[in-house]
Amino acid sequence: MELNKKNLITIVLTFTLIFIFLIYLVEEKKNEKINSIINNLYVEKKDLFLSERQMIFSEAELIKDLIFDKKIISMIEDYIQNPGEKTRDDLIIAIFPKYLVLKKYKISQFHLMLPNGVSIIRFNDVNKFGDLVLAMAKAAEYIKIKKEPFSGFILTNEGLKFVNIFPLYKEGIHLANIEIAFNYRDFLMHVFNRHYIAFLIDKKLLPNAKMPVCKLNENFLVDGDVCKYFNKVHVRINFDKKINILGNYLVFSYPIYSFDKKIGYFIKIIPISSIKEIKDISLSYTNSVMLIAIIYFIIILFLILYYRFVVIKRFANIDKLTQIYNRRGCERFLKSYKDYSIILIDIDYFKQINDTYGHDIGDKILQELGKILKSSVRANDIVCRWGGEEFLIILPHTSYENATEVAEKIRKKVEETKIFGNIQITISLGVSQFDGSFEKTFKDADEKLYIAKKTGRNKVIF
């Protein structure tokens, strides 16, 4: 295929489409790997969260078993049977030293209640008791029905709490409930960096709470300091979507349930730049794109340079005025032909034409003659401007007789053609057949052309 401008554009467009497709494939592969890493990270954080929660429950259960031995349970039974200041003080004196030790382990609440949720002893405020703790009443009802401890989140007027509530039994009788609660922020620090966590609570559930509204979704109150990372963000996040990408941050959201009702979300913010696997994949992607781009530009540069080489080479063999082969281009074909005839052509009285109409018209006549000659021969025949007003036609695998017929056809066509409406020209032609040497063949045709011009012009000599 000849490399011309149209073909070059087609090839460049093809390689460009291939380049775009390869970039798309690399991008898709990168996104697939990154999404896999993000999903695995989401599950990993969720598993860690659940594991830590179970560990906290186990620690609370161990504390309950260590503190509430048979003696303490008997004292609780005495208080229930004989409620009074003395029996309550005896309980406080027996348990309070143990509570002081437990505070070192970041217990946020240690609370003894009746099975219906009425407070017996708040160890962080021993003077407040006898009231019904509404948040605990629901947990008490859960324990009564399920016959098992309650571990989970509850909503209070102060906000969100994570509690572990254990029933205390004696001989199958449900005497009381004990709340052992840890600061959920503290236990989450075992899993997460606290500066990147927050709890979102449905605003409708705490209409009077003095908590800020989440900047990422105004339907939620926020407990945590993650909003500072999004001060300039004006995007509303749907937290039902487990994973959101916000600028350079991943926003993981895990639903929070209280007594089987969704009350909000725990969110974990992770800077994407801190995830080594994603950084490695992004670097690998960048390197792949650069490599593809380099190969693409090398190919395009090669095509352009090759096209320029072909064009320059072609122009070196083409006559600038007539756009047919020049002598150099013509001679290039002669080396490959061993059986051909030639027609040597000269415009009659061309000097007079130039003198009469001017050299510009003379140039136009040369151009028109070149077109006539090209249209009068076969596609594989070679037409060239040999020099000045002289033209040469090479007819491969053409007999002397056939070449003469072609020459006569051309002579008649030129004679019958009016150039620019009123200018008529004629040509003289000499025909010769290859006899082993182009120089001899050309000399023979040149001598015949000379005879044609000397004997009246506008004729074919063969």
Side-chain angles (χ1 to χ4, degrees):
M1 181 179 68
E2 183 183 3
L3 185 61
N4 53 35
K5 189 173 183 179
K6 183 178 179 181
N7 290 337
L8 176 67
I9 292 172
T10 301
I11 294 170
V12 169
L13 286 176
T14 301
F15 274 105
T16 301
L17 291 175
I18 293 172
F19 170 72
I20 293 171
F21 180 67
L22 288 175
I23 296 298
Y24 168 79
L25 288 181
V26 173
E27 177 73 20
E28 283 293 298
K29 193 67 176 177
K30 181 195 79 167
N31 290 337
E32 182 183 326
K33 289 182 178 180
I34 288 177
N35 288 336
S36 175
I37 289 171
I38 291 173
N39 286 323
N40 290 339
L41 189 60
Y42 178 89
V43 173
E44 175 190 322
K45 297 299 182 185
K46 180 180 180 180
D47 290 344
L48 285 171
F49 177 78
L50 295 175
S51 174
E52 189 69 17
R53 176 172 165 170
Q54 181 59 42
M55 186 183 75
I56 294 299
F57 174 78
S58 298
E59 289 180 2
E61 188 173 38
L62 178 62
I63 289 169
K64 183 264 297 184
D65 291 339
L66 289 173
I67 292 178
F68 293 91
D69 53 22
K70 290 181 179 181
K71 179 183 176 182
I72 298 295
I73 291 176
S74 294
M75 292 177 70
I76 294 172
E77 185 182 27
D78 289 344
Y79 171 77
I80 293 171
Q81 292 174 354
N82 301 291
E85 188 176 332
K86 182 178 185 308
T87 51
R88 184 173 177 275
D89 286 345
D90 289 342
L91 265 175
I92 293 172
I93 292 169
I95 300 175
F96 197 74
K98 297 179 180 180
Y99 165 70
L100 293 177
V101 174
L102 291 175
K103 282 192 71 175
K104 297 178 181 179
Y105 297 94
K106 298 184 179 180
I107 288 182
S108 62
Q109 186 68 271
F110 196 64
H111 191 182
L112 183 63
M113 298 164 287
L114 291 175
N116 60 0
V118 173
S119 175
I120 300 175
I121 305 171
R122 288 181 174 87
F123 285 90
N124 60 336
D125 187 359
V126 294
N127 294 318
K128 185 178 180 181
F129 67 99
D131 56 314
L132 177 64
V133 183
L134 293 177
M136 295 299 110
K138 195 166 184 179
E141 185 66 20
Y142 174 92
I143 291 171
K144 183 179 179 181
I145 295 171
K146 299 286 187 178
K147 306 294 184 184
E148 62 183 26
F150 172 80
S151 177
F153 291 98
I154 62 170
L155 282 176
T156 70
N157 291 331
E158 292 78 28
L160 192 67
K161 291 180 67 177
F162 181 76
V163 299
N164 297 286
I165 304 175
F166 301 93
L168 298 176
Y169 297 97
K170 183 178 181 183
E171 296 176 357
I173 299 173
H174 187 184
L175 297 177
N177 291 329
I178 178 70
E179 175 193 357
I180 302 174
F182 293 83
N183 186 309
Y184 62 87
R185 289 180 176 232
D186 290 335
F187 90 71
L188 284 172
M189 284 196 65
H190 290 284
V191 187
F192 307 111
N193 183 328
R194 72 179 306 161
H195 299 298
Y196 291 98
I197 61 172
F199 285 85
L200 306 180
I201 303 166
D202 191 332
K203 191 164 63 174
K204 297 190 296 291
L205 300 177
L206 292 176
N208 301 318
K210 296 179 180 179
M211 298 170 65
V213 173
C214 178
K215 294 182 180 179
L216 300 178
N217 190 320
E218 68 279 3
N219 293 328
F220 295 92
L221 303 174
V222 63
D223 181 7
D225 55 2
V226 295
C227 282
K228 69 182 182 182
Y229 298 104
F230 305 108
N231 285 333
K232 297 180 181 179
V233 172
H234 302 286
V235 178
R236 190 177 189 274
I237 282 186
N238 176 16
F239 290 108
D240 284 332
K241 186 179 177 182
K242 298 187 300 183
I243 302 169
N244 288 278
I245 299 177
L246 207 54
N248 185 46
Y249 294 97
L250 292 175
V251 182
F252 289 168
S253 60
Y254 304 92
I256 299 173
Y257 293 89
S258 179
F259 303 105
D260 298 326
K261 178 183 178 182
K262 187 165 70 174
I263 60 173
Y265 298 90
F266 162 63
I267 64 171
K268 166 65 181 171
I269 312 297
I270 302 178
I272 296 175
S273 57
S274 69
I275 305 173
K276 184 179 182 301
E277 293 88 344
I278 292 180
K279 289 172 67 176
D280 291 343
I281 288 173
S282 297
L283 179 61
S284 175
Y285 163 77
T286 301
N287 291 338
S288 298
V289 169
M290 287 181 63
L291 179 61
I292 294 171
I294 289 170
I295 293 173
Y296 166 76
F297 285 114
I298 288 175
I299 292 173
I300 298 302
L301 181 61
F302 170 79
L303 287 171
I304 292 172
L305 292 176
Y306 181 68
Y307 171 73
R308 291 190 64 184
F309 168 77
V310 169
V311 168
I312 291 171
K313 187 176 180 181
R314 184 185 300 135
F315 284 162
N317 296 318
I318 297 295
D319 177 61
K320 186 176 180 180
L321 177 64
T322 60
Q323 294 299 303
I324 59 177
Y325 288 110
N326 56 22
R327 180 181 295 195
R328 177 179 174 181
C330 197
E331 289 175 342
R332 183 165 60 93
F333 289 97
L334 291 170
K335 298 175 182 178
S336 57
Y337 294 147
K338 299 298 181 186
D339 177 18
Y340 60 85
S341 295
I342 66 170
I343 303 172
L344 189 61
I345 304 164
D346 190 82
I347 301 174
D348 296 334
Y349 304 111
F350 188 67
K351 184 178 184 304
Q352 293 180 19
I353 293 172
N354 278 332
D355 292 341
T356 303
Y357 299 103
H359 288 282
D360 289 343
I361 297 299
D363 289 344
K364 296 290 185 182
I365 290 173
L366 291 172
Q367 291 173 340
E368 288 300 315
L369 180 59
K371 292 177 183 177
I372 293 171
L373 297 179
K374 283 283 288 183
S375 65
S376 302
V377 297
R378 300 169 300 184
N380 63 329
D381 293 334
I382 310 302
V383 179
C384 64
R385 183 183 177 194
W386 196 253
E389 69 272 22
E390 200 170 56
F391 293 80
L392 179 70
I393 300 177
I394 304 172
L395 305 168
H397 311 294
T398 303
S399 66
Y400 188 54
E401 292 77 12
N402 289 339
T404 302
E405 291 176 4
V406 172
E408 183 59 30
K409 182 180 73 170
I410 292 172
R411 186 197 66 75
K412 287 182 180 180
K413 189 172 182 179
V414 171
E415 183 181 26
E416 295 169 355
T417 301
K418 296 285 187 179
I419 300 175
F420 304 119
N422 61 354
I423 300 175
Q424 184 178 24
I425 65 170
T426 60
I427 56 175
S428 299
L429 306 92
V431 179
S432 181
Q433 187 172 27
F434 179 69
D435 65 352
S437 166
F438 171 73
E439 287 76 14
K440 290 181 181 179
T441 306
F442 182 83
K443 183 178 180 182
D444 181 52
D446 188 44
E447 289 173 353
K448 290 174 180 176
L449 174 62
Y450 180 76
I451 294 171
K453 296 182 84 65
K454 286 294 184 182
T455 58
R457 296 180 170 83
N458 190 24
K459 61 175 64 175
V460 177
I461 300 298
F462 51 91

